[in-house]
Amino acid sequence: MKRLAEKAGLAVLQNMDPEKAHGLALAALNAGLASQPGPITSDRLRVRLAGMDLANPVGLAAGFDKNAQAVGPLGKAGFGFIEVGAATPLPQPGNPKPRLFRLKQDAAAINRFGFNNDGMDAIAGRLTNAECAVPVGINLGANKTSEDRAADFAVVMQRFKAHVSFATVNVSSPNTEKLRDLQGPAALAALLEGVMDVRGDIPVFLKIAPDLTLPEIRDIATVAQNAGVDAIIATNTTLDRDGLHGPHKTQAGGLSGQPLFEKSTRVLAQLSAATDLPLIGVGGVASGAQAYAKIRAGATAVQLYTGLVYGGLSLVGDIVRDLDDLLARDGFASVAEACGTDRDRWLNAA
């Protein structure tokens, strides 16, 4: 019955303004209208990532719950972990609307939000009072008007370290001017040093862009490893527009969803060949088979977001259960055993 209600709800939401629809989806979560199976697990699915014990390796990517408004319900949706934010030191409205566009024919989306959020104090306050059944992380951001964006990341890290299980340094969003410049080796090393100095014992992840050359990927891997980063998330949204359809295909911003799957998975495999750090695969995950492909390309865990726009929250349970079945089918006793077993195929396709 809930599946039928979800399908009807999705049909309504997909005919609304995307940003308003997203707000209603969060409200529905808090009203208990979504499926809440709790963390789904099995002996095969349990994962240890950066010192965290996860019930399964399927996580929620940052951006879905920017302001930590639905942490409790999301923790019961079947995920193994969730990430909120990005949070910046000061509240900011982000870029002018409209700034979110569905590409239905491509099962994709383009956004140019620009780190719109309620600010670190409001978000940290919500996390202080939230009860969540799975580990919760914060995506660290910088204010658009900041005179020292690198310093902003350390400020936000300091504010959240008592309230989260991990933190992600996000220098890969394409929607804040010159933010991606911080991925350069010298700038990135300095930024990470500031974050690591204040993190306490919180694992720190680094989220990278898919629009990087192989030398850039290798440089970032070296910087991350030298800085003591605990894992790398590959990848954020892309600026690529090849093969898209529909009236919004040329909108500015970051592209997510199905068109990103191949590109982000190749970057993941290249990164896997360049570092021994644990990797989290993001980009176009909307099925158990796609989650499994990311794991076999080198990911210890995966995250999704845009797939939920088209598949609803019940998609989470479907992905986790299908992943368990695929691991069993191929004789893998654990996610760790499957990790990287198909990496060479992705490297050869790069």
Side-chain angles (χ1 to χ4, degrees):
M1 184 66 85
K2 276 204 170 185
R3 287 289 182 109
L4 290 173
E6 181 182 57
K7 190 173 181 180
L10 282 172
V12 172
L13 291 175
Q14 288 176 10
N15 284 307
M16 295 177 60
D17 170 80
E19 200 161 346
K20 288 181 180 177
H22 189 78
L24 283 176
L26 289 173
L29 271 168
N30 282 319
L33 300 180
S35 175
Q36 295 186 348
I40 301 169
T41 194
S42 73
D43 289 342
R44 277 183 297 272
L45 290 171
R46 292 188 186 95
V47 166
R48 188 161 179 81
L49 172 66
M52 299 183 295
D53 291 314
L54 309 181
N56 68 66
V58 179
L60 176 67
F64 186 89
D65 189 10
K66 286 178 178 290
N67 293 307
Q69 295 171 307
V71 170
L74 286 168
K76 299 175 184 176
F79 292 110
F81 63 110
I82 64 176
E83 185 175 343
V84 301
T88 56
L90 300 174
Q92 62 181 20
N95 293 322
K97 299 178 182 180
R99 54 194 181 182
L100 176 61
F101 306 89
R102 298 188 196 97
L103 284 73
K104 293 182 181 180
Q105 192 173 343
D106 300 303
I110 292 173
N111 89 80
R112 50 173 181 264
F113 285 121
F115 283 170
N116 59 307
N117 72 106
D118 292 344
M120 64 181 186
D121 288 336
I123 297 170
R126 293 185 190 117
L127 288 179
T128 301
N129 299 313
E131 293 184 7
C132 189
V134 299
V136 180
I138 184 68
N139 192 277
L140 310 177
N143 281 119
K144 183 177 181 179
T145 58
S146 175
E147 293 183 2
D148 188 348
R149 288 182 182 168
D152 279 7
F153 289 89
V155 169
V156 181
M157 179 75 258
Q158 178 72 44
R159 183 66 180 85
F160 278 94
K161 67 182 181 183
H163 308 295
V164 295
S165 297
F166 66 93
T168 299
V169 173
N170 183 1
V171 292
S172 51
S173 170
N175 300 317
T176 297
E177 187 180 358
K178 296 185 178 180
L179 183 73
R180 285 189 174 188
D181 291 352
L182 294 174
Q183 290 181 125
L188 182 59
L191 185 156
L192 289 173
E193 183 179 8
V195 171
M196 302 303 275
D197 282 348
V198 300
R199 69 164 175 168
D201 58 0
I202 300 300
V204 171
F205 302 164
L206 173 66
K207 190 168 189 175
I208 68 168
D211 307 313
L212 296 167
T213 65
L214 184 54
E216 287 171 334
I217 290 168
R218 289 170 174 162
D219 284 346
I220 287 173
T222 299
V223 171
Q225 199 139 358
N226 290 343
V229 164
D230 296 275
I232 301 176
I233 301 178
T235 65
N236 211 317
T237 56
T238 182
L239 295 172
D240 196 346
R241 295 293 186 270
D242 287 349
L244 297 182
H245 306 84
H248 300 307
K249 64 183 181 180
T250 59
Q251 288 287 345
L255 172 71
S256 60
Q258 289 306 295
L260 183 55
F261 178 76
E262 298 280 337
K263 184 172 192 174
S264 63
T265 308
R266 283 196 297 272
V267 171
L268 170 70
Q270 291 169 333
L271 196 55
S272 177
T275 182
D276 293 327
L277 288 172
L279 306 178
I280 300 166
V282 193
V285 175
S287 70
Q290 289 174 318
Y292 188 47
K294 297 272 190 192
I295 288 165
R296 295 198 64 183
T300 295
V302 302
Q303 289 177 313
L304 63 147
Y305 173 176
T306 304
L308 302 177
V309 173
Y310 297 100
L313 207 61
S314 62
L315 180 66
V316 182
D318 293 341
I319 289 174
V320 174
R321 295 183 190 99
D322 288 349
L323 175 59
D324 197 19
D325 290 344
L326 289 166
L327 290 165
R329 181 199 70 185
D330 292 345
F332 293 117
S334 66
V335 171
E337 198 173 284
C339 181
T341 53
D342 201 26
R343 184 181 71 187
D344 288 348
R345 181 175 71 84
W346 286 97
L347 291 176
N348 291 335

